[in-house]
Amino acid sequence: MAYELYYWPTIQGRGEFIRLALEEAGADYVDVAREEGGMDLMMALMDGAVRPPFAPPFLKDGALLVGQRAEILFHLGPKLGLAPADGADRLWAHQLELTITDWVQEVHDTHHPVGASFYYEDQKPEAKRRSGEFVKERAPKFLGWFETVLERNPDGPAHLVGRGAGLSGPVAVPDGGGLRYAFPKAMKRLERDYPKVVALHDAVARRPKIEAYLASSRRIPFNEQGIFRHYPELDG
Amino acid sequence: MAYELYYWPTIQGRGEFIRLALEEAGADYVDVAREEGGMDLMMALMDGAVRPPFAPPFLKDGALLVGQRAEILFHLGPKLGLAPADGADRLWAHQLELTITDWVQEVHDTHHPVGASFYYEDQKPEAKRRSGEFVKERAPKFLGWFETVLERNPDGPAHLVGRGAGLSGPVAVPDGGGLRYAFPKAMKRLERDYPKVVALHDAVARRPKIEAYLASSRRIPFNEQGIFRHYPELDG
């Protein structure tokens, strides 16, 4: 039975991490809200499920409904052969993923520091301050941490966990690509300091199934409704 | 062997959720950074571990180092008899916990919308806007979702998952108590709309081990360095 992914149909957003994992694994899946009538199905599940997800993305795997971006990847990873199936390695892969959750939230907040209920246009000065801090303090902290993780992997810096492609390989794609889209000037400087992170990102983007996906109509282009938004005034 | 919890020694913060779980279970644990020389041990692990946690809290369980608040609870829950050990129930409990992660971040951002590198005093107008949105939009959304979760639990609204005390029982304590501390005026109004959430919170706070802990010197009082801070000007 095909996996059913439920996510907003016009943005990459948090759903993109799930799409990339499914694509890398060549899994059979439906991106439900992009099909006719799919939005109604998504809203009905959110409103009516006995165990309703708080927000998209969520995944239907047979009778099981799984919400939260990182938990969906935790559930899918071993099934798709993209992440360790158990023990300390599985916990470590999930810990990386949860740190990416924090990171994604901070990227989002660069353009919405005062809250998601307000338009970007109503919080531009605040967004500029927050983006400045992000580029100067937070991006180096996160990128530096991932660089250290790669350096210390006993199996080498080509993988985040062990020797596998790892779910955190594919997930690096929207992340790195997204940062380049949102902050092209700042990233040009920053990338020099984190060569292993950049090499992993670029290697994942060249994997055959990922490359085919990125070139397909299934890939939603970056835009200014998603997590990674390009506002030149924030790219200090 | 005692569990070793590593967290900032002067705040409840994200570590409090772990402390509460360990206390409720009567587990043998050391709150390392509150012991003599403990801060040095904590920083050495963050700097030097092969799999370094991104930030406190983290837990040492024998040779295993587990980071990320929600993952620590995921690991501890079944071991302490506080959360389901496997299957869909375990995923659901974790999904609740990950939603609490999002929630905690949003509470933190009410006083630090422009970024954690700046003092609160340097972002007061922004904090006021963000807190206004939080009280009006976000708190009702989160509290309403938890109310629905309790309403739909086939085993009744005294538990979040099944019939067990559930790890998400204890974790409701700093959350609810923290909100009352940070936003006493707003919470007085809000609590009326979410009777099941309030009842669960208050029942957990009265559990014998939790009650004893809250009255002990191990419990760090709320203060204006933690997640839940009381700034009267933000309590609109």
Side-chain angles (χ1 to χ4, degrees):
Chain A
M1 190 161 27
Y3 293 108
E4 295 176 17
L5 170 65
Y6 292 82
Y7 194 64
W8 308 115
T10 58
I11 59 170
Q12 292 180 23
R14 290 179 175 83
E16 193 65 9
F17 297 81
I18 319 298
R19 293 188 184 113
L20 283 157
L22 293 163
E23 293 281 347
E24 167 64 13
D28 189 14
Y29 77 101
V30 185
D31 201 342
V32 179
R34 294 170 75 183
E35 309 271 312
E36 175 131 9
M39 276 294 284
D40 291 342
L41 287 174
M42 182 164 94
M43 301 321 278
L45 274 173
M46 283 183 67
D47 287 344
V50 176
R51 292 177 165 182
F54 183 76
F58 53 91
L59 182 86
K60 207 162 173 302
D61 178 4
L64 187 68
L65 203 59
V66 185
Q68 284 282 351
R69 192 197 65 83
E71 176 158 312
I72 298 168
L73 295 173
F74 180 79
H75 172 70
L76 280 179
K79 294 186 74 166
L80 301 181
L82 293 176
D86 47 34
D89 284 357
R90 188 176 194 198
L91 279 177
W92 177 234
H94 191 46
Q95 191 175 323
L96 298 176
E97 206 52 67
L98 290 175
T99 307
I100 290 176
T101 297
D102 294 342
W103 165 244
V104 167
Q105 185 59 40
E106 294 202 22
V107 172
H108 170 270
D109 288 351
T110 58
H111 49 75
H112 274 77
V114 184
S117 318
F118 303 108
Y119 291 114
Y120 166 65
E121 286 66 27
D122 294 329
Q123 48 188 303
K124 284 175 82 165
E126 294 85 358
K128 203 169 159 67
R129 270 182 87 192
R130 175 96 189 213
S131 295
E133 192 227 19
F134 176 81
V135 165
K136 194 169 152 225
E137 307 279 350
R138 302 302 292 172
K141 185 168 161 72
F142 278 97
L143 291 168
W145 183 74
F146 278 106
E147 189 78 6
T148 299
V149 166
L150 290 170
E151 273 164 10
R152 293 190 191 163
N153 182 0
D155 291 310
H159 309 289
L160 279 164
V161 183
R163 295 174 176 282
L167 200 56
S168 298
V171 302
V173 172
D175 195 46
L179 284 180
R180 284 176 181 164
Y181 174 78
F183 300 103
K185 278 163 54 183
M187 280 304 286
K188 210 162 191 173
R189 293 195 310 276
L190 279 169
E191 287 196 25
R192 285 183 223 131
D193 296 332
Y194 311 103
K196 293 181 182 66
V197 173
V198 172
L200 173 62
H201 167 268
D202 292 349
V204 170
R206 282 192 306 270
R207 292 175 69 87
K209 284 181 180 147
I210 297 290
E211 200 164 42
Y213 166 66
L214 295 177
S216 77
S217 63
R218 297 190 302 286
R219 168 78 164 185
I220 299 166
F222 286 111
N223 60 47
E224 277 55 61
Q225 280 80 50
I227 303 279
F228 298 100
R229 304 187 185 187
H230 180 53
Y231 297 122
E233 62 273 22
L234 302 185
D235 184 20
Chain B
M1 190 158 32
Y3 293 109
E4 295 175 17
L5 169 65
Y6 293 82
Y7 193 64
W8 308 115
T10 57
I11 59 172
Q12 293 180 23
R14 291 179 175 82
E16 193 65 9
F17 297 82
I18 319 298
R19 293 188 185 112
L20 283 158
L22 292 164
E23 293 282 347
E24 167 65 12
D28 189 15
Y29 78 101
V30 185
D31 201 343
V32 179
R34 294 170 76 182
E35 309 272 313
E36 175 131 8
M39 275 293 284
D40 291 342
L41 288 174
M42 181 164 95
M43 300 321 279
L45 274 173
M46 283 183 68
D47 287 344
V50 176
R51 292 177 166 182
F54 183 76
F58 53 93
L59 182 87
K60 204 160 174 303
D61 177 4
L64 186 69
L65 203 59
V66 186
Q68 283 282 350
R69 193 196 64 84
E71 177 158 312
I72 299 168
L73 295 174
F74 179 79
H75 171 70
L76 280 179
K79 293 186 74 167
L80 300 181
L82 293 176
D86 48 32
D89 284 356
R90 189 175 193 198
L91 280 177
W92 177 234
H94 191 45
Q95 190 175 324
L96 298 176
E97 207 49 70
L98 291 175
T99 306
I100 290 175
T101 297
D102 295 341
W103 165 243
V104 167
Q105 184 59 40
E106 294 202 23
V107 172
H108 169 269
D109 288 353
T110 57
H111 49 76
H112 274 77
V114 184
S117 318
F118 304 107
Y119 292 112
Y120 166 64
E121 286 68 26
D122 294 330
Q123 48 189 303
K124 284 175 81 166
E126 294 85 357
K128 203 169 158 66
R129 269 181 87 191
R130 176 94 188 213
S131 295
E133 192 226 19
F134 176 80
V135 165
K136 194 169 152 225
E137 306 279 350
R138 303 301 292 173
K141 185 169 161 71
F142 279 96
L143 291 168
W145 183 74
F146 278 106
E147 188 79 5
T148 299
V149 166
L150 289 170
E151 273 164 10
R152 293 190 190 162
N153 182 359
D155 291 310
H159 309 290
L160 278 163
V161 183
R163 296 174 176 283
L167 201 54
S168 298
V171 303
V173 172
D175 196 46
L179 284 180
R180 284 176 181 165
Y181 174 77
F183 301 103
K185 278 162 56 184
M187 281 304 287
K188 210 161 190 174
R189 290 195 311 276
L190 279 169
E191 287 196 25
R192 282 182 225 132
D193 296 331
Y194 311 103
K196 293 182 182 67
V197 173
V198 172
L200 173 62
H201 167 268
D202 292 349
V204 170
R206 282 191 307 269
R207 292 175 70 86
K209 284 181 180 146
I210 296 290
E211 200 165 41
Y213 166 66
L214 295 177
S216 77
S217 63
R218 298 190 302 286
R219 168 78 164 186
I220 300 166
F222 286 111
N223 61 46
E224 277 56 60
Q225 280 79 51
I227 303 279
F228 298 98
R229 304 187 185 186
H230 180 53
Y231 296 121
E233 62 273 23
L234 302 185
D235 184 20

